Amino acid sequence: MPVRSLRLQLLAWVVLPLAGLATINLWTSQRSALATADLVTDRMLVGSARAIAEQVAIVDGVLDATVPPAAIEMFDTGDRDSVYYRVETAGGRLLTGYPDLPVAPGRPSMKTVYRDRELRLLTYSHAVVGAGADSPIAVTVGVTLAGHDAMVRHFWFSAFAQQLALVAIAGVFVLLGLRRGLEPLIRLRDAVRSPSRSDLDPIEVTGAQSEIRPLIDALNVYMERVRAQMAAQRRFIANAAHQLRTPLALLSTQASYALREGAAEARQEALVALQASSGRLARLAEQLLTLSRAEPGSRRPRADRVDLTEAARHVLETQAPASLARNIDLGLDETGPVTVVGDGTMLREMIVNLVDNALRYTPAGGTVTVKLAAINGEAVLTVADDGPGIPADEREHVFERFYRLAGATEEGSGLGLAIVREVVENAGGRVTLADGAAGGLVVEVRLPLA
């Protein structure tokens, strides 16, 4: 892919329109130069014709025409123009000059070809006192166009030089301005590529213009997301290393015991324990992965339309075997669809953890009820159980990772409610704990309705 230069593009956007305007100006300047040369030449023709006409007089009763040298010399501009003239009476009698020189009737001046040369021609009428029927006389003066054309070229080249200098000076100043204006971008590039940057701290570029500031802010926001993702990965690795160490050691011990045991019954007991430990380890690994995915910045935000009622019904179906094994009444109280917007996978995992926690801490023969309703523009999900509940002074701590109540005998990793809080807060909701009417614990989750 070809490399594009911002500096050259900005220069082109400034200089090319300016060059176009200069071209238009040169065209108008050429027309103006032509009009000026025409006017100057016509004034000279009028002056020459008038000078000749004023020298025509009656001498000894005869009409005499004398051409003064000044009438011809006024065209001597150094361009070697030829001047032609003709003086004739009102009756058409030639007094002096070139008899075949045409006249310019009906207009101040005209262009014509005479003796294979292009002339600008003017005829001037002048009354002579005492000339009788010969008055007025007609004086026709024509001049070749070498001086005229030289005047046009002079004016046009002068305008061309001015326009060219203007475009060149504008280009230089634009380059200087671009160099100074793009300095913050260069500093931003250097700041991003600096070998001394070993972390993702926010970038600050002094003197950045308002057009560049959004780019810097966007880079800083992006780096903040990257930092959050890296921190989530580091926490996941640390949590996994800390929490998996003991279960893996236990598995190794149980496997070694089963290998050493010779009695079939004792070996069977060790293998059953090994199987139970591996199941707990799998559940711990699954919760660790879920917690990692629930953290902000760990995955791309999703905006699924999720029916919590349908999701809860599916979760209760999967948890039914566990509730039947312990004779726990697991029920769903709902009045219809309750739709929210969020990450569908994580919202279903939230319900799984709530129901799993309730079943884990509810004694055999107890009751776990999941209730869904739409109240005041919010989706309200409650999970109530008949378990021992959580003391009021411990309710904030149970949302911390790996926190276990003192004296708890039920199996667990201390991640269930931490996962619930992460998912709920990412979806713009809140979760609270309360005592049930007949004891136990009630977990209430409120999310904005779709």
Side-chain angles (χ1 to χ4, degrees), residues 404-422:
R404 300 291 305 279
L405 291 174
T409 58
E410 292 77 8
E411 295 179 356
S413 61
L415 291 175
L417 289 178
I419 292 173
V420 170
R421 170 172 276 187
E422 290 284 357

Side-chain angles (χ1 to χ4, degrees), residues 107-188:
R107 64 180 69 186
S109 66
M110 62 174 287
K111 284 186 177 181
T112 187
V113 176
Y114 177 68
R115 296 186 179 181
D116 298 328
R117 302 183 71 181
E118 189 174 20
L119 302 182
R120 191 164 189 87
L121 201 68
L122 180 139
T123 298
Y124 176 75
S125 180
H126 179 71
V128 179
V129 177
D134 290 332
S135 181
I137 61 171
V139 179
T140 300
V141 180
V143 63
T144 55
L145 300 181
H148 174 277
D149 295 342
M151 193 183 310
V152 172
R153 287 192 299 270
H154 173 75
F155 289 149
W156 189 82
F157 280 124
S158 176
F160 176 78
Q162 293 175 2
Q163 298 299 321
L164 184 62
L166 177 64
V167 173
I169 293 173
V172 171
F173 277 104
V174 168
L175 279 176
L176 294 176
L178 288 176
R179 181 177 180 180
R180 184 172 182 83
L182 294 177
E183 280 183 358
L185 277 179
I186 304 300
R187 292 199 298 272
L188 175 61

Side-chain angles (χ1 to χ4, degrees), residues 52-66 87 89-90 93 95 126-137:
I52 294 173
E54 289 176 352
Q55 294 298 318
V56 177
I58 301 295
V59 178
D60 297 331
V62 178
L63 193 61
D64 179 62
T66 301
V87 181
T89 64
R93 180 169 59 87
L95 296 179
H126 179 71
V128 179
V129 177
D134 290 332
S135 181
I137 61 171

Side-chain angles (χ1 to χ4, degrees), residues 2-14:
V3 179
R4 294 184 176 181
S5 169
L6 178 61
R7 183 182 286 106
L8 291 180
Q9 286 187 354
L10 293 176
L11 179 64
W13 276 106
V14 174

Side-chain angles (χ1 to χ4, degrees), residues 302-321:
R302 293 174 57 179
D304 307 324
R305 293 180 65 88
V306 182
D307 181 3
L308 291 181
T309 302
E310 181 63 28
R313 186 179 294 114
H314 178 73
V315 171
L316 265 60
E317 289 175 357
T318 60
Q319 295 288 342

